[in-house]
């Protein structure tokens, strides 16, 4: 990775701090990932992507910029990738999943704020994330209160365009959302100097749909018992989806899915089939947040599905293809994105239906509901989730945590007790 020193310097990174971050990340990755047994061979590619996380991909993004393309940072599933791509741009997910950058954010932001927001903001102000530095601008959204107020502060460090996301799904809200998606398309055209054509838009819609289908195949394979891939590995794939090259990623995920389907035919799994199967539901787990999955799989369980933005919410719906005009295609995009069931919406009954359906589809023995500290929407929504799961006779454990390692011992005790209970 030291080969990239000049590139990182050119991006204005704080090299000293960045070195500490990369060393720590390498050690955590090897600890969490490289000791797993019976991993599918297809994970080799994703190990490689991780080993080059601040190297090769950043180089590719810089090359894209040299050819005149834009790099756009995003923080939320509601920002339509198809439009960024159709305007000749590339998107990178910038949600923060590391404790490393939280202390720097704490010096500026209130302490009682979600760690995902703090981690991302901290990465920018401490200049240790090359993805932030390579981005021409970022897209925020009016989802939770913490995020929408931080965009005002982030804008002082990098141009931040904010999409207004309605908080309900009535007809008037859908109309507003369509207008926002159109305004975003105009913004992308203006920034990139590219007029989006129906042909290019169609091509990009199809590419993103194929990517979502590939991840769906991996998730479908996880429905088998024994499960052919660990929850930690599946989570990694969902995380890498936010920044890897789209077509290469789709190819590699499909290759992995082929292997997993073969494993299922031979009933080859990564764990004993008696392991309790856990559905994790709740807040997104941005890279390198592998904390809960590690605790669960070290405690004798296996994660078989994530009802999460880094999971099912990312790939569950496709944009309708073959609509004739750009206008129709934008409408199809707006419709697809309104089907994401985030707790920032009220009501959000569909998410509860999803959780119960996934428990059945993935044959889960129980649900672990994951809330990041100070995430009020997922925290409060859990009251409804718990009621519904109780009614359906599905065991559930609530975990509220941050990115620090301080509570790992306590989490382990609680998760082990839950796994005993659902055995
Ligand atoms: S669509 S989940 S990516 S908003 S965890 S920052 S909600 S306080 S990330 Fe999200 Fe879009 Fe919704 Fe998904 Fe706020 Fe909660 Fe933190 Fe969150």
């Amino acid at each position: 990775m030291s080969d990239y020193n000049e590139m990182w310097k050119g991006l204005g990174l704080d090299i000293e701090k960045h070195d500490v971050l990369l060393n720590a990340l390498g050690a955590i990755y090897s600890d969490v990932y490289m000791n797993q047994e019976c991993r599918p061979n297809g994970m080799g590619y994703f190990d490689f992507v991780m080993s080059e996380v601040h190297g090769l991909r950043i180089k590719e993004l810089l090359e894209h910029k040299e050819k005149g393309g834009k790099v756009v940072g995003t923080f939320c599933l509601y920002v339509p990738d198809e439009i960024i791509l159709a305007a000749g741009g590339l998107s990178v997910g910038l949600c923060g999943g590391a404790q490393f950058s939280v202390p720097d954010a704490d010096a500026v932001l209130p302490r009682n704020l979600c760690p995902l927001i703090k981690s991302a903001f901290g990465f920018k102000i401490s200049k240790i994330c090359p993805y932030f530095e390579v981005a021409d601008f970022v897209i925020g959204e009016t989802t939770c209160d913490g995020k929408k107020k931080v965009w005002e502060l982030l804008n002082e460090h990098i141009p931040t365009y904010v999409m207004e996301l309605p908080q309900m799904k009535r007809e008037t809200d859908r109309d507003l959302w369509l207008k926002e998606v159109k305004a975003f398309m105009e913004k992308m055209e203006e920034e990139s100097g590219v007029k989006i054509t129906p042909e290019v838009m169609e091509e990009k819609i199809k590419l993103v749909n194929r990517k979502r289908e590939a991840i769906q195949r991996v998730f479908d394979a996880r429905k088998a018992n024994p499960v052919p891939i660990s929850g930690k590995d599946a989570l990694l794939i969902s995380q890498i989806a936010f920044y890897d090259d789209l077509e290469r990623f789709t190819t590699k995920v499909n290759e992995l899915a082929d292997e997993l389907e073969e494993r299922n035919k031979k009933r080859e799994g990564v764990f004993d089939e008696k392991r309790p199967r856990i559905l994790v539901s709740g807040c997104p787990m941005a890279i390198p947040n592998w904390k809960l999955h590690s605790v669960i799989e070290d405690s004798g369980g296996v994660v078989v599905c994530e009802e999460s933005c880094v999971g099912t919410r990312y790939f569950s719906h496709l944009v309708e293809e073959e609509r004739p005009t750009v206008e129709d295609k934008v409408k199809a995009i707006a419709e697809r994105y309104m089907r994401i069931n985030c707790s920032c919406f009220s009501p959000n009954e569909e998410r509860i239906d999803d959780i119960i359906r996934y428990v059945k589809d993935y044959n889960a023995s129980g649900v672990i509901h994951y809330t990041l500290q100070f995430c009020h929407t997922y925290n409060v929504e859990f009251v409804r989730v718990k009621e519904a799961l109780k009614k359906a006779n599905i065991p559930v454990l609530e975990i509220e945590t941050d990115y620090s390692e301080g509570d790992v011992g306590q989490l382990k005790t609680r998760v082990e007790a839950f796994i005993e209970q659902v055995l």
Side-chain angles (χ1 to χ4, degrees), residues 372-391:
L372 282 170
Q373 249 173 27
F374 310 112
C375 175
H376 302 314
T377 55
Y378 280 95
N379 213 354
V380 177
E381 193 160 281
F382 177 66
V383 177
R384 303 289 319 283
V385 172
K386 186 166 67 179
E387 279 168 9
L389 292 177
K390 194 172 170 209
K391 225 166 141 193

Side-chain angles (χ1 to χ4, degrees), residues 99 115 289 291 370-373 400-405 407:
Q99 176 65 19
N289 177 7
K291 182 173 161 179
Y370 175 73
T371 309
L372 282 170
Q373 249 173 27
E400 188 181 346
T401 186
D402 58 11
Y403 294 160
S404 69
E405 290 293 303
D407 61 351

Side-chain angles (χ1 to χ4, degrees), residues 81-219:
D81 274 350
E82 294 84 348
I83 290 180
I84 298 174
L85 292 163
L90 292 178
S91 69
V92 287
L94 294 175
C95 278
Q99 176 65 19
F100 192 83
S101 52
V102 170
D104 283 329
D106 274 337
V108 180
L109 300 173
R111 292 184 80 85
N112 52 352
L113 185 67
C114 156
L116 188 145
I117 303 173
K118 285 202 281 191
S119 175
F121 187 77
F123 272 129
K124 179 62 202 170
I125 60 170
S126 53
K127 290 195 169 285
I128 45 175
C129 173
Y131 290 93
F132 245 125
E133 302 315 312
V134 96
D136 292 288
F137 56 98
V138 299
I139 314 296
E141 20 40 65
T142 57
T143 44
C144 65
D145 288 352
K147 271 181 162 185
K148 69 186 168 212
K149 296 309 288 180
V150 163
W151 306 142
E152 295 167 26
L153 306 175
L154 189 62
N155 192 41
E156 291 167 16
H157 302 272
I158 183 166
T160 305
Y161 176 88
V162 181
M163 293 183 80
E164 182 169 357
L165 195 79
Q167 312 268 283
M168 296 175 82
K169 292 184 181 175
R170 302 162 303 184
E171 231 17 72
T172 49
D173 303 306
R174 291 175 194 278
D175 292 347
L176 167 81
W177 177 238
L178 178 58
K179 282 190 192 132
E180 277 300 303
V181 176
K182 279 185 190 157
F184 177 56
M185 184 175 93
E186 282 160 20
K187 165 79 180 168
M188 282 307 307
E189 288 184 327
E190 188 190 305
E191 288 287 341
S192 57
V194 168
K195 183 83 193 143
I196 295 178
T197 63
E199 293 76 22
V200 176
M201 186 83 117
E202 184 67 29
E203 182 203 328
K204 303 303 177 189
I205 287 173
K206 286 181 175 164
L207 282 177
V208 179
N209 279 351
R210 299 299 83 82
K211 174 184 179 181
R212 298 193 205 278
E213 284 170 345
I215 308 175
Q216 173 83 62
R217 282 185 66 202
V218 170
F219 272 62

Side-chain angles (χ1 to χ4, degrees), residues 230-274:
S230 68
K232 286 195 297 198
D233 277 336
L235 174 65
L236 183 69
I237 291 159
S238 295
Q239 291 172 329
I240 288 177
F242 288 92
Y243 68 91
D244 196 14
D245 174 81
L246 194 162
E247 292 179 66
R248 182 176 62 211
F249 176 84
T250 304
T251 306
K252 293 296 174 184
V253 175
N254 272 321
E255 283 171 18
L256 176 70
D258 290 341
E259 186 184 348
L260 299 184
E261 287 161 10
E262 273 310 304
R263 280 186 157 204
N264 284 346
K265 278 187 207 151
K266 296 188 219 143
R267 294 184 54 79
E268 247 175 55
V270 280
F271 296 120
D272 187 287
E273 57 196 76
K274 292 196 188 73

